[in-house]
Every structure is written in C-alpha cells, then in structure tokens.
Amino acid sequence: MDDSNGSTESASPARTEKATFGAGCFWQVEMAYRELEGVIDTAVGYEGGHVDNPTYEQVCSGTTGHAEVTQVTFDPDKVSYEDLVDKFWDVHDPTQMNRQGPDVGEQYRSAIFFHSPEQEEIAKRSKAHAQQRFHEPIVTSIEPATGFWMAEEYHQCYLQKRSERGGLFGALMGR
C-alpha cells in the first residue's frame, strides 16, 4: 500500500492473547507483569467462582469461590506464554495452600486459568518443571478460564498509583 509519504508499509495491529494468573494479592502480581516487554495491558479482577460480577467485599468474604487474579494481555510475538508462566512461579510461593504470606483465604490461592488447550499443556509442563525448584509440593491449580470479572477501578494499577502519589510503596522504592 502506498501512502502520501511514499512508504509501502502498512501498520497492522499486534496480535494479542490473554493469560490469567492467581498468585495471592493481585496488586504485586499486576505490577510484576506490567514491567515485562510484550505485555500490552493488565487488569486485576476475580476468576474461578460461582457469583456473577462479585465485589471485592464478596470475594474477601470467602463465599464466592473466586481467586484474586491478574489478567495479562500480551503480544505473543514479543513475549511467550511460557515466559509469562515462568514469571508466575517467580512472583509468589506456589506451595502455600490458600494463602500468600499474611494474606489467608481461598481468594489468595495459586491458580493458572488457561484460555486454550495449548496454554493448558504449557502450564502443566511448566508446573512439573518448576516443582524441581521447591521442596514442598506445588499446590497451584490449573483451571479453564470461565469468566473474568474486573475488580473495582481503585484496584487497577493500585501500587503504581500509590507510588506516583508518594505513598508507602513509593517511599520503599526510593521515590
């Protein structure tokens, strides 16, 4: 295609895929993925439960069955799903059942929600390989993605917003 400046290149949008991970409180997980090249966007929310459009308070009550998750939109030509799963093992302790550090409850469970049979196979293979790094058994569930519910706006990019305002996280990061 020829345009007014003589270029024959056409701009085509990047192909994107989604990946969804539960690894404890979603704030730190989201921040870790936002830093990766090839990640186009992130959103925090809830997955794996039995209530439509749950609120944060409902999820924290432990009655909805949801996990706090980070959904990652990525360009598979720039970052592979395998790389995203590798990052998942690094950002939390997958041997803790229904908790991460001081956060306790089913909503903090370790889970990979796959969006395709290929993602399921990669996640299972990666889990088996990652087990070699841990002394305790990995308790991470690998489940089909059945419905992502976005968390309230104030949760989106929470740590980034807080550091920009000079909050505790910003102080800890030397900002």
Side-chain angles (χ1 to χ4, degrees):
M1 170 157 90
D2 191 18
D3 64 18
S4 60
N5 68 6
S7 171
T8 57
E9 272 188 351
S10 64
S12 61
R15 181 171 64 99
T16 63
E17 293 182 22
K18 297 225 182 276
T20 306
F21 304 103
C25 177
F26 44 37
W27 296 337
Q28 183 175 347
V29 178
E30 179 187 38
M31 189 161 205
Y33 280 107
R34 288 190 75 76
E35 297 172 350
L36 289 179
E37 183 174 344
V39 169
I40 296 168
D41 197 15
T42 61
V44 297
Y46 317 110
E47 178 94 33
H50 54 80
V51 173
D52 288 349
N53 202 22
T55 65
Y56 181 69
E57 290 74 19
Q58 288 173 310
V59 171
C60 288
S61 76
T63 61
T64 69
H66 290 88
E68 288 192 16
V69 298
T70 298
Q71 188 168 82
V72 179
T73 303
F74 66 101
D75 178 345
D77 293 329
K78 294 185 179 175
V79 63
S80 69
Y81 182 72
E82 292 93 336
D83 290 340
L84 297 177
V85 176
D86 287 347
K87 182 75 166 177
F88 171 78
W89 304 120
D90 292 339
V91 298
H92 79 301
D93 180 350
T95 68
Q96 293 187 357
M97 179 64 78
N98 293 336
R99 72 174 302 144
Q100 283 299 300
D103 296 327
V104 179
E106 185 182 19
Q107 72 270 25
Y108 299 116
R109 70 185 180 273
S110 177
I112 298 173
F113 294 92
F114 60 86
H115 294 263
S116 69
E118 179 184 38
Q119 284 188 357
E120 178 183 21
E121 180 57 36
I122 291 166
K124 287 179 177 179
R125 197 170 50 241
S126 180
K127 179 180 176 179
H129 186 262
Q131 182 60 66
Q132 299 169 26
R133 296 179 13 208
F134 297 94
H135 296 290
E136 300 295 321
I138 289 178
V139 297
T140 303
S141 64
I142 299 174
E143 309 171 32
T146 57
F148 172 80
W149 300 98
M150 189 171 291
E152 296 79 357
E153 179 57 36
Y154 71 92
H155 289 295
Q156 307 302 320
C157 301
Y158 178 81
L159 292 179
Q160 180 181 353
K161 290 174 190 173
R162 190 163 175 188
S163 71
E164 288 168 356
R165 289 192 310 259
L168 176 62
F169 186 78
L172 293 173
M173 298 302 291
R175 293 185 180 143

